[in-house]
Amino acid sequence: MFNLILFGPPGAGKGTQSEKLIDQYNLIHLSTGDILRSEVAAQTELGLKAKELMDRGDLVPDEIVIGMIRSKVEASLDANGFIFDGFPRTVAQAEALDTLLNELGTSITVLLALVVEEEELIKRLLNRGKDSGRADDADESIIHNRIAEYENKTSPLIGYYKEQGKFKDVVGTGSVDDIFNRLCESIDVLTS
Ligand code: AMP
């Protein structure tokens, strides 16, 4: 299996690039943000619990997202591999993902980190907020909170994956196609 983590702060372009990468490499896209938003829309118990945290730009508890990822991965064991988008976001999530993949006889191949400056992230998210309908994209103070959550809880994963020799950063600015090509170059080196 080829298992990729597409990493980066909110607004780095993980969702956009994941959509292109799944077609190119025949992978399954697992976005915890998308899964949570569909739980919110369906007004499930989990969705109702998560909504308030999401609307504030806070992370939802580890056990919720870890459980969601486990059931999605276990439902697609015949896949070529997965793109994890927006997961893991804490060291506890990364450890749980390693344990899960290890149980299944596989592992993370690489983490590709999209690097984008904060000013550009805020601009992109406010722009997306005009038609995404997402409360967490519409308000600059919530966007700042999401970036702070990333800095405090998620960026330590860079060290976690560097230690495993799996970290690679990629310039996340320029056209969507330019960024896609850079990601493909990094992947092709690993798979050739
Ligand atoms: P995203 O679509 O990835 O920007 O995620 C939107 C929101 O969903 C985040 O601000 C969090 O509230 C929640 N969320 C998504 N993924 C995770 C995760 N792996 N851990 C905790 N919360 C998450």
Side-chain angles (χ1 to χ4, degrees), residues 88-136:
R89 260 179 157 97
T90 63
V91 171
Q93 292 177 24
E95 287 170 350
L97 180 60
D98 279 348
T99 304
L100 168 64
L101 295 179
N102 188 37
E103 274 170 33
L104 302 173
T106 182
S107 60
I108 291 298
T109 312
V110 68
L111 176 149
L112 296 178
L114 290 168
V115 180
V116 180
E117 269 182 29
E118 182 163 334
E119 201 184 324
E120 170 74 11
L121 296 173
I122 295 168
K123 206 170 79 187
R124 287 185 188 178
L125 290 169
L126 286 172
N127 206 27
R128 185 174 75 184
K130 288 180 193 156
D131 38 40
S132 71
R134 283 177 56 170
D136 61 347

Side-chain angles (χ1 to χ4, degrees), residues 10 31-34 36-37 53-54 57-60 65 85-89 93 128 134 136 146:
S31 154
T32 40
D34 287 350
L36 285 165
R37 279 184 289 279
L53 293 164
M54 293 171 74
D58 290 341
L59 294 189
V60 306
V65 286
D85 159 10
F87 180 91
R89 260 179 157 97
Q93 292 177 24
R128 185 174 75 184
R134 283 177 56 170
D136 61 347
R146 291 165 66 196

Side-chain angles (χ1 to χ4, degrees), residues 34 37 45 57 75-76 80 96 113 130 137-138 148 172 174 177-178 184 189:
D34 287 350
R37 279 184 289 279
E45 200 181 320
S76 302
N80 252 346
K130 288 180 193 156
D137 284 344
D177 284 340
D178 285 345
C184 291
V189 166

